[in-house]
Amino acid sequence: MRIKFVDLAAQNLEIRERVDAEMTELHQNTAYIGGPHVKAFEEEFAKFLGARRAIGVSSGTDALRIAMIAAGIGAGDEVITTPLTFIASAAAIFQTGARPVFVDVDPDTGNLSPSKLRSYLSEGHWSAPNGPRAILPVHLYGMPAPMSEINEIAQEFGLKVIEDACQAHGASIKTGQGRAMAGTMGLAGCFSFYPGKNLGAWGDAGAVVTNDDELADRIALLRDHGRLSHYAHEEFGYNARIDAMQAVVLRAKLELLGEWNLRRRKIAEAYRNLLAKFDVTLPVEPDGIESVYHLFVIRSDRRDAIREELLINDIECGIHYPVPLHLQPACRSLGYRHGDFPVSEHIADTVLSLPMHPHLTSRQVVRVATAVRTALQPNVDLAAGAAKGDKDSFAERLRA
Ligand SMILES: Cc1ncc(COP(=O)(O)O)c(C=O)c1O
């Protein structure tokens, strides 16, 4: 049986009853745009994160773009981010009129490196007239970036911090007062509810969270044609609203998110135990940081061999990301070259994302780990019962 990379159908089974009932009601009252479900979801998501406000928008990319525009970022500004992320982090910066500037990542976590950030800012060679105005850290794979260091640097250089929390719903960092959620430690935090995320909709959706009421009001205005009332428009805005059907799905899944994240952490622990003695680099969780393992990403110089073994065994996997952003054709005009960000480039050449979702069974986890181990050490002893059972059925399929 195929092991899926993500299993959205299994999630749907858990929410079906509630969503069916609420969709039926929605089709009767036909409040498809805005309405009580959107408002309730915004309140519930803000509460889940411990933030003052959450504003639903149409995608994670729009969350980033609109948060930055509302924060006053635009033409002539630089926004600093990491090259080891999804294209949308840089695209959203570009869409505000600002220039994306990359700083290399920490070799252990793959998140923005505070020391390299400081070096860039201290050198003072800007590529846009106004110089840096903001930092956009990405909580890569669900692992929070080092926010206290980043915030300290931002304060020192007078920069705003907009968090790309699109992969980190519910991830947290220990603070003096308890724990702070990813997305709530900067001026604004941006989330994607793309279906495969830890909290995923049945289509595109996103949200911005912030503790700043003025910023929240401007974001709410910008996402809806700059609207004050139906035909009163304060400024030119966007059509970037979240729709009520997505809010229905997200409200139902939000109730389960804590439990689903816990299951992801348990699966990550099982992978760690099964792969500990093998020659692969496992994700590092720095002290006080709690990842929600949107992805479980291992590293190996033999990445391609492991990938092949997984595929032969009918196990889906991914590479996040095979090309760092500074080497993407879309970023050509920024003038970066191969070798500019060696850590990100090395990571891109060696990473492999194993199946990770809350409905993976322990038997499946063993099967994945066994395939990884086989690729690394072809004579591995497959003593574990579950692994042996799976291996046998695989052998049977090969014979068939
Ligand atoms: C790090 C990161 N930033 C931004 C986005 C963009 O989100 P969306 O696809 O909802 O626009 C994603 C989603 O894939 C992401 O992973």
Side-chain angles (χ1 to χ4, degrees):
M1 268 274 281
R2 168 162 299 189
I3 299 182
K4 292 180 173 178
F5 190 65
V6 291
D7 189 349
L8 301 182
Q11 289 188 5
N12 290 344
L13 283 180
E14 286 199 55
I15 60 165
R16 194 171 65 187
E17 218 171 295
R18 171 174 169 170
V19 170
D20 279 354
E22 290 181 357
M23 287 289 188
T24 303
E25 184 201 315
L26 183 64
H27 292 314
Q28 275 156 6
N29 69 34
T30 67
Y32 293 118
I33 302 289
H37 280 293
V38 168
K39 188 166 180 295
F41 171 66
E42 290 175 335
E43 286 168 7
E44 288 157 9
F45 192 54
K47 187 164 173 228
F48 173 81
L49 295 172
R52 254 182 91 72
R53 301 276 295 275
I55 306 99
V57 293
S58 45
S59 68
T61 311
D62 281 332
L64 289 163
R65 176 172 60 127
I66 290 177
M68 282 187 275
I69 291 171
I73 288 153
D77 300 337
E78 282 187 6
V79 178
I80 303 168
T81 193
T82 151
L84 194 66
T85 178
F86 182 57
I87 188 73
S89 311
I93 296 171
F94 189 80
Q95 287 161 8
T96 67
R99 186 182 175 93
V101 167
F102 300 119
V103 161
D104 212 352
V105 298
D106 175 87
D108 290 333
T109 62
N111 274 323
L112 199 61
S113 156
S115 61
K116 286 170 190 154
L117 180 60
R118 182 179 289 285
S119 304
Y120 174 75
L121 289 165
S122 305
E123 279 163 17
H125 303 306
W126 317 135
S127 50
N130 308 335
R133 292 282 311 283
I135 306 168
L136 193 133
V138 178
H139 304 301
L140 190 70
Y141 311 146
M143 182 84 68
M147 288 307 295
S148 57
E149 287 99 319
I150 289 171
N151 278 336
E152 212 174 280
I153 295 169
Q155 207 168 17
E156 191 180 324
F157 290 88
L159 308 177
K160 292 176 174 164
V161 176
I162 311 282
E163 296 170 69
D164 182 338
C166 286
Q167 301 183 356
H169 319 68
S172 65
I173 300 183
K174 195 168 169 219
T175 67
Q177 292 80 47
R179 301 200 74 82
M181 294 282 202
T184 66
M185 290 172 271
L187 174 63
C190 304
F191 290 84
S192 164
F193 304 127
Y194 180 80
K197 301 297 191 202
N198 289 33
L199 179 60
W202 283 358
D204 279 311
V208 184
V209 302
T210 180
N211 293 320
D212 182 323
D213 281 327
E214 208 177 306
L215 187 76
D217 290 343
R218 177 110 200 271
I219 291 165
L221 208 71
L222 284 171
R223 73 161 167 190
D224 188 20
H225 298 293
R227 203 175 243 145
L228 290 172
S229 63
H230 202 66
Y231 286 118
H233 304 275
E234 174 70 14
E235 60 178 314
F236 288 123
Y238 304 89
N239 180 352
R241 299 170 296 227
I242 189 170
D243 68 68
M245 287 200 275
Q246 303 310 337
V248 164
V249 172
L250 290 166
R251 288 186 73 195
K253 286 195 182 180
L254 183 59
E255 289 233 314
L256 301 166
L257 181 61
E259 166 63 24
W260 285 352
N261 280 343
L262 216 62
R263 285 197 226 161
R264 286 176 184 267
R265 288 184 57 77
K266 285 198 176 132
I267 290 162
E269 197 184 324
Y271 273 141
R272 273 184 211 293
N273 291 335
L274 290 162
L275 296 173
K277 295 200 179 73
F278 288 76
D279 189 20
V280 281
T281 305
L282 299 169
V284 169
E285 209 174 53
D287 255 6
I289 286 192
E290 209 168 283
S291 172
V292 287
Y293 292 100
H294 171 56
L295 299 169
F296 189 87
V297 179
I298 60 171
R299 288 190 226 162
S300 166
D301 291 336
R302 300 180 57 200
R303 185 260 307 275
D304 294 342
I306 301 172
R307 185 167 171 270
E308 204 167 303
E309 184 67 25
L310 290 171
L311 296 178
I312 288 171
N313 282 280
D314 214 3
I315 298 168
E316 296 178 349
C317 56
I319 296 178
H320 300 87
Y321 295 89
V323 180
L325 295 193
H326 66 290
L327 302 178
Q328 285 285 356
C331 296
R332 216 181 280 118
S333 66
L334 302 176
Y336 291 110
R337 278 179 300 181
H338 202 272
D340 282 346
F341 304 108
V343 179
S344 296
E345 289 169 25
H346 180 69
I347 292 177
D349 287 342
T350 54
V351 277
L352 184 69
S353 310
L354 303 183
M356 171 52 87
H357 60 79
H359 298 89
L360 269 182
T361 64
S362 47
R363 191 184 162 88
Q364 287 175 320
V365 172
V366 169
R367 223 181 99 194
V368 175
T370 302
V372 174
R373 289 155 61 152
T374 306
L376 291 170
Q377 189 179 311
N379 296 326
V380 67
D381 175 16
L382 297 166
K388 187 170 185 312
D390 284 334
K391 177 86 177 169
D392 290 344
S393 65
F394 174 59
E396 271 162 32
R397 267 187 299 110
L398 271 189
R399 276 196 294 274

